[in-house]
């Protein structure tokens, strides 16, 4: 596999910090995104390279392996394990005859066979599990109100996944077998996706429950009445009791957010009243309030 300079792909120096890498990735990803370049194969190829570079350089452990091993970074764990086996074998040389020693030639055979090279006499070939991949998916809160499918590009490959309704900010899900390839017929690694949920609504979310503050005029608070409030997916009518106090909270059962992986289950919506005092009173209104205050 030809060597790809991931630092050059993202246009950052080798000593770039995590923030600089993330900034460069987002800028290039927007520029070469397939949705903005329909039918442009060169842009699609560039987009895959950008995602592959970000997958490696944004992950501290992957980046360290890449800096040390270059294009063979995915096999770093297998290499280190093989080297540990060699060191253990050397420490036992005094306990075995020369015919049973694990010498440099044996190690070379083992290493070559492990990475697909021709075996020249190694006795066993242990498979090694592939590298796990990590990806970050940014969504708006409205995006996770219903279950839907989405295609991700990870390490140059398109993966179509189902995003369950009700997934939470910071939650991580595992997609088995979509990580790096295993060494010597070992199993593939897994893909771990971390969700970042951007809440740009007027609702506050706590798991499946939603919270919202609604303005209430003084007269409706004192005398009672009916109001209409926005829910997450529509509107609802509420009956306000007479003499409602500021900060009163009411519950709309089942009008909250979907419960993760529980079909047709929803949390509740809690409405808090914020009573607004009238301003710019006329002289007549002031006189009426004065008269009312005397009655109290």
């Amino acid at each position: 596999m030809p060597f790809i300079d991931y630092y050059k792909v993202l246009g950052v120096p080798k000593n770039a910090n995590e923030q600089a890498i993330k900034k460069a990735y987002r800028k290039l990803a927007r520029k070469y995104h397939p949705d903005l370049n329909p039918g442009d194969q060169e842009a699609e190829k560039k987009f895959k390279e950008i995602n592959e570079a970000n997958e490696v350089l944004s992950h501290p452990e992957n980046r360290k392996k890449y800096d040390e091993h270059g294009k063979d970074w995915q096999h770093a764990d297998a290499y280190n394990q093989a080297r540990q086996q060699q060191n253990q074998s050397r420490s036992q040389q005094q306990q075995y005859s020369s015919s049973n020693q694990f010498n440099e030639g044996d190690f070379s055979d083992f290493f070559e066979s492990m990475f697909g090279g021709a075996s020249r006499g190694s006795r066993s070939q242990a498979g090694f599990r592939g590298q796990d991949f990590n990806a970050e998916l940014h969504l708006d809160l409205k995006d996770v109100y219903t279950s839907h499918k989405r295609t991700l590009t990870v390490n140059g490959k398109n993966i179509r996944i189902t995003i369950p309704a009700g997934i939470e900010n910071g939650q991580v899900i595992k997609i088995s077998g979509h990580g790096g390839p295993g060494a010597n017929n070992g199993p593939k690694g897994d893909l771990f996706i971390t969700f970042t949920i951007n809440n740009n609504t007027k609702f506050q979310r706590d798991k499946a429950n939603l919270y919202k503050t609604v303005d209430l005029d003084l007269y409706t608070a004192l005398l009672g009445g009916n109001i209409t409030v926005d829910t997450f997916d529509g509107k609802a009518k509420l009956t306000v009791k007479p003499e409602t106090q500021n900060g009163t909270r009411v519950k709309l059962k089942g009008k909250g957010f979907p419960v993760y992986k529980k079909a047709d289950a929803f949390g509740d919506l809690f409405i808090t009243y914020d009573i607004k005092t009238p301003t710019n009173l006329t002289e007549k209104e002031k006189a009426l309030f004065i008269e009312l205050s005397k009655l109290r």
Side-chain angles (χ1 to χ4, degrees):
M1 182 178 67
F3 174 72
I4 300 177
D5 189 338
Y6 292 139
Y7 292 101
K8 187 175 181 180
V9 170
L10 294 182
V12 297
K14 288 188 175 182
N15 62 349
N17 58 29
E18 184 177 350
Q19 186 177 4
I21 290 174
K22 181 180 291 188
K23 182 178 179 180
Y25 163 71
R26 289 178 175 175
K27 179 180 179 181
L28 292 172
R30 285 194 296 268
K31 180 179 179 181
Y32 292 100
H33 197 283
D35 291 346
L36 300 179
N37 301 273
D40 190 336
Q41 295 183 352
E42 191 63 30
E44 182 178 354
K45 179 181 178 182
K46 185 70 175 178
F47 184 72
K48 290 181 178 179
E49 288 184 354
I50 293 166
N51 277 279
E52 184 176 334
N54 180 65
E55 170 61 33
V56 176
L57 299 185
S58 65
H59 191 288
E61 185 177 345
N62 289 350
R63 183 179 181 181
K64 181 180 179 181
K65 292 175 183 177
Y66 173 76
D67 290 341
E68 293 179 357
H69 300 280
K71 66 183 181 66
D72 294 320
W73 69 272
Q74 293 182 358
H75 302 300
D77 292 336
Y79 170 78
N80 292 331
Q81 186 171 349
R83 186 166 55 183
Q84 290 176 2
Q85 291 177 352
Q86 181 198 29
N87 293 334
Q88 291 174 358
S89 179
R90 284 176 175 173
S91 68
Q92 297 172 353
Q93 284 182 357
Q94 295 179 354
Q95 302 177 22
Y96 297 92
S97 63
S98 58
S99 61
N100 290 327
Q101 290 179 0
F102 182 65
N103 55 36
E104 292 291 341
D106 293 328
F107 174 72
S108 297
D109 289 336
F110 171 77
F111 185 73
E112 288 182 6
S113 65
M114 183 175 65
F115 291 103
S119 174
R120 297 196 304 269
S122 58
R123 299 190 190 95
S124 63
Q125 298 182 10
F128 293 92
R129 184 175 178 276
Q131 176 73 32
D132 289 336
F133 288 164
N134 293 275
E136 186 175 343
L137 182 57
H138 291 257
L139 299 170
D140 288 335
L141 188 61
K142 292 182 178 180
D143 294 332
V144 295
Y145 187 75
T146 56
S147 297
H148 66 283
K149 295 184 180 295
R150 184 163 296 212
T151 300
L152 307 180
T153 302
V154 179
N155 210 31
K157 295 182 179 180
N158 291 332
I159 302 173
R160 190 163 179 80
I161 65 172
T162 297
I163 301 175
I167 201 163
E168 295 192 37
N169 182 51
Q171 187 170 342
V172 179
I173 64 173
K174 181 178 77 172
I175 311 297
S176 299
H178 281 81
N184 196 35
N185 296 322
K188 291 183 177 180
D190 299 324
L191 169 63
F192 293 88
I193 302 176
T194 301
F195 288 83
T196 299
I197 311 299
N198 176 39
N199 185 0
N200 53 4
T201 72
K202 294 181 179 180
F203 298 88
Q204 298 298 318
R205 181 190 181 192
D206 182 12
K207 296 182 180 179
N209 291 330
L210 294 176
Y211 298 83
K212 183 182 180 182
T213 299
V214 172
D215 292 342
L216 190 65
D217 66 83
L218 178 64
Y219 312 107
T220 303
L222 289 172
L223 304 175
N226 296 319
I227 63 172
T228 300
V229 298
D230 291 327
T231 62
F232 201 86
D233 64 342
K235 294 181 180 294
K237 289 185 177 181
L238 288 177
T239 297
V240 180
K241 296 180 180 180
E243 301 179 10
T244 293
Q245 300 298 304
N246 188 51
T248 297
R249 175 181 288 181
V250 296
K251 180 174 74 173
L252 279 69
K253 188 173 179 60
K255 290 296 183 179
F257 217 70
V259 179
Y260 180 67
K261 285 195 173 181
K262 287 189 177 181
D264 301 323
F266 288 80
D268 302 322
L269 170 60
F270 293 88
I271 299 292
T272 300
Y273 292 130
D274 183 16
I275 298 176
K276 296 299 182 181
T277 303
T279 59
N280 300 320
L281 297 176
T282 65
E283 292 301 322
K284 184 176 180 179
E285 288 174 325
K286 290 179 182 179
L288 289 173
F289 274 110
I290 292 172
E291 184 178 346
L292 179 62
S293 66
K294 290 179 180 180
L295 292 175
R296 301 291 292 178

